[in-house]
């Protein structure tokens, strides 16, 4: 099994995950058609957000997306995620993203994407984020990224990787302790830990069907929000300091009472955590949705958060 830091960013690093825009929309410049730009609402305090869209070159010559700008971000980078020797690597594409003639290139979680850096005001559900895309030949065009629910799912997302579904089914069959203080660390370790990459989980705080667990592995860390389903726990999302805030937890679907109580319990529990570990918890940039759809949270956990720290 790969480590947690090689599994959680395919849904989207730092803030990345699947969400659909409220309304389908398209833009065009020259021979380039830009389809359905979308982003996901960000947790309060988050500084990094992901943007996704489709680029179709209807012309007779190759083109290239070379840059992007937005008043909502200090800068925008064009990124690529790919697997290299079993490890997910994210890198900035200094030369931009090629859009060959007659082809469609999709910017999506786990592949090419637009990375909004140093976001001034976190994206909120229901709003649109304006950005200017510049192409090598087609020129520049202003587009709008529709911002959906922070816990939403991209409807075209398909879970048809049968081999991974086999892993998912196997993990679902593993019995879990009735005690969440045992079940949650065991669940996370079963998915992410290897002999050479131990995973440390804790503290774990629980309120009703929700829980938050801090984790560290190989000099990195973060916090996981988990949800109880049936007799077991599933990983809902991973984030950093955003999970300390009741308002952020409420935006993820918790009731006001659950969010407030869980936030208070976490604050109390982390008073006993050393500053170095707290800094690792805070180092997780943005938010990565793991539970993209019902009954697929562990499947997504395999593919998510591969390099949030890079």
């Amino acid at each position: 099994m790969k480590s947690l830091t090689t599994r959680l960013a395919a849904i989207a690093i730092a803030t990345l995950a699947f969400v659909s825009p409220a309304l389908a929309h398209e833009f065009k410049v020259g021979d380039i058609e830009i389809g359905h730009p979308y982003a996901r609402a960000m947790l309060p305090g988050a500084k990094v957000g992901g943007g996704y869209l489709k680029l179709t070159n209807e012309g007779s010559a190759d083109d290239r997306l070379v840059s992007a700008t937005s008043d909502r971000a200090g800068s925008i980078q064009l990124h690529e995620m790919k697997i290299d020797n079993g490890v997910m690597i994210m890198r900035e594409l200094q030369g931009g993203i090629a859009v060959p003639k007659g082809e469609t290139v999709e910017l999506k979680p786990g592949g090419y994407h637009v990375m909004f850096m140093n976001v001034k005001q976190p994206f909120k559900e229901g709003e649109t984020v304006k950005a200017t895309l510049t192409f090598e030949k087609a020129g520049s065009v202003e587009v709008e990224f529709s911002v959906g629910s922070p816990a939403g799912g991209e409807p075209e997302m398909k879970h048809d990787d049968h081999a991974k579904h086999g892993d998912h089914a196997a993990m679902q069959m593993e019995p879990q302790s009735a005690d969440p203080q045992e079940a949650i660390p065991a669940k996370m370790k079963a998915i992410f830990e290897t002999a050479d990459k131990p995973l440390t989980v804790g503290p774990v705080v629980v309120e009703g069907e929700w829980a938050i667990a801090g984790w560290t592995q190989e000099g990195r860390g973060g916090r996981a929000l988990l949800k109880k389903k049936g007799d077991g726990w599933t990983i809902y999302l991973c984030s950093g300091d955003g999970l300390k805030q009741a308002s952020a937890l409420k935006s993820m679907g918790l009731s006001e009472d659950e969010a407030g109580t869980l936030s208070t319990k976490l604050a109390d529990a982390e008073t006993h955590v050393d500053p170095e570990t707290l800094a690792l918890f805070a180092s997780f940039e943005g938010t990565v949705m793991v539970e993209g759809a019902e009954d697929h949270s562990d499947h997504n956990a395999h593919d998510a958060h591969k390099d949030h720290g890079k």
Side-chain angles (χ1 to χ4, degrees):
M1 288 185 178
K2 298 184 180 69
S3 68
L4 181 56
T5 52
T6 59
R7 285 188 179 170
L8 285 176
I11 288 185
I13 167 162
T15 60
L16 327 157
F18 305 107
V19 79
S20 172
L23 294 173
H25 54 300
E26 297 182 350
F27 304 86
K28 190 168 185 178
V29 57
D31 292 322
I32 303 296
E33 184 177 280
I34 299 131
H36 318 313
Y38 72 92
R40 184 174 56 80
M42 299 163 59
L43 290 178
K47 299 296 183 183
V48 181
Y52 313 102
L53 56 134
K54 291 183 180 181
L55 303 174
T56 300
N57 187 343
E58 298 178 333
S60 58
D62 296 343
D63 207 337
R64 182 177 295 272
L65 175 63
V66 294
S67 65
T69 60
S70 174
D71 291 341
R72 296 292 299 274
S75 64
I76 295 181
Q77 298 178 1
L78 304 178
H79 280 210
E80 178 190 25
M81 281 186 173
K82 65 178 182 178
I83 296 177
D84 186 3
N85 294 323
V87 176
M88 180 65 81
I89 297 174
M90 185 178 76
R91 65 189 181 100
E92 182 181 1
L93 297 171
Q94 299 291 346
I97 298 173
V99 189
K101 60 183 179 181
E103 294 188 18
T104 295
V105 176
E106 185 174 5
L107 279 64
K108 60 184 179 179
Y112 295 132
H113 56 278
V114 172
M115 185 71 79
F116 294 86
M117 311 294 292
N118 298 316
V119 175
K120 300 172 184 178
Q121 293 292 331
F123 303 161
K124 295 182 180 180
E125 181 179 356
E127 70 172 343
T128 57
V129 175
K130 292 183 178 180
T132 298
L133 306 180
T134 299
F135 296 86
E136 188 174 64
K137 295 177 181 176
S140 299
V141 61
E142 186 176 272
V143 302
E144 295 181 347
F145 289 80
S146 293
V147 181
S149 163
E154 220 285 296
E156 295 180 359
M157 168 83 173
K158 295 181 180 180
H159 301 273
D160 54 1
D161 187 332
H162 298 294
K164 291 179 180 177
H165 272 291
D167 291 340
H168 163 70
M171 286 185 292
Q172 286 293 83
M173 293 175 64
E174 295 175 0
Q176 293 189 23
S177 167
D179 183 355
Q181 298 297 328
E182 296 179 357
I184 289 173
K187 178 73 170 183
M188 296 178 68
K189 286 174 177 286
I191 300 173
F192 305 116
E193 187 174 65
T194 62
D196 60 331
K197 297 176 182 178
L199 180 73
T200 300
V201 180
V204 175
V205 295
V206 181
E207 177 60 26
E209 64 177 7
W210 295 95
I212 297 176
W215 61 267
T216 59
Q217 186 180 47
E218 294 188 294
R220 299 181 186 177
R223 296 178 179 88
L225 177 65
L226 299 99
K227 188 175 184 180
K228 190 171 185 180
K229 287 193 172 182
D231 295 329
W233 293 87
T234 59
I235 302 172
Y236 193 70
L237 62 82
C238 285
S239 189
D241 278 351
L243 289 182
K244 296 169 61 177
Q245 303 178 44
S247 59
L249 295 174
K250 188 177 178 181
S251 74
M252 290 297 154
L254 282 71
S255 69
E256 186 171 353
D257 288 344
E258 289 173 329
T261 302
L262 197 58
S263 176
T264 299
K265 287 183 176 180
L266 181 65
D268 291 343
E270 290 189 348
T271 59
H272 305 291
V273 178
D274 64 89
E276 183 177 350
T277 300
L278 288 177
L280 291 178
F281 291 168
S283 69
F284 195 108
E285 296 180 347
T287 301
V288 174
M289 296 300 300
V290 176
E291 185 179 82
E294 293 293 315
D295 303 323
H296 290 285
S297 59
D298 290 321
H299 167 75
N300 288 340
H302 272 287
D303 293 331
H305 171 87
K306 298 185 171 118
D307 250 60
H308 73 85
K310 289 193 175 184

